[in-house]
Amino acid sequence: MEEAEELCQAKTPDEVAWEAADLFYFALVKCASFGITLADIQNNLEKKITQSHQKSW
């Protein structure tokens, strides 16, 4: 995805913020097209956090 690559290449805090917003925007548009809510995303983020804590042990 072009937006992710642009975020990876960003060099300044302003560029990082701009490209992150761009990536978030397109990700949210895609999610909305599938009926995915912010709550769905939050639930998955919580699962990932739990998994990453278990792996660090």
Side-chain angles (χ1 to χ4, degrees):
M1 178 176 203
E2 177 184 348
E3 287 76 17
E5 181 64 29
E6 291 171 351
L7 177 57
C8 290
Q9 293 177 0
K11 303 257 189 284
T12 68
D14 285 343
E15 288 176 353
V16 170
W18 179 262
E19 297 303 340
D22 201 27
L23 182 61
F24 285 4
Y25 172 78
F26 284 104
L28 290 172
V29 168
K30 181 70 172 187
C31 289
S33 74
F34 280 87
I36 296 168
T37 66
L38 290 175
D40 296 327
I41 296 168
Q42 181 178 2
N43 289 337
N44 280 283
L45 285 170
E46 289 170 358
K47 288 177 190 175
K48 288 183 177 293
I49 291 168
T50 300
Q51 289 172 354
S52 70
H53 284 261
Q54 290 173 350
K55 289 179 183 177
S56 66
W57 292 99

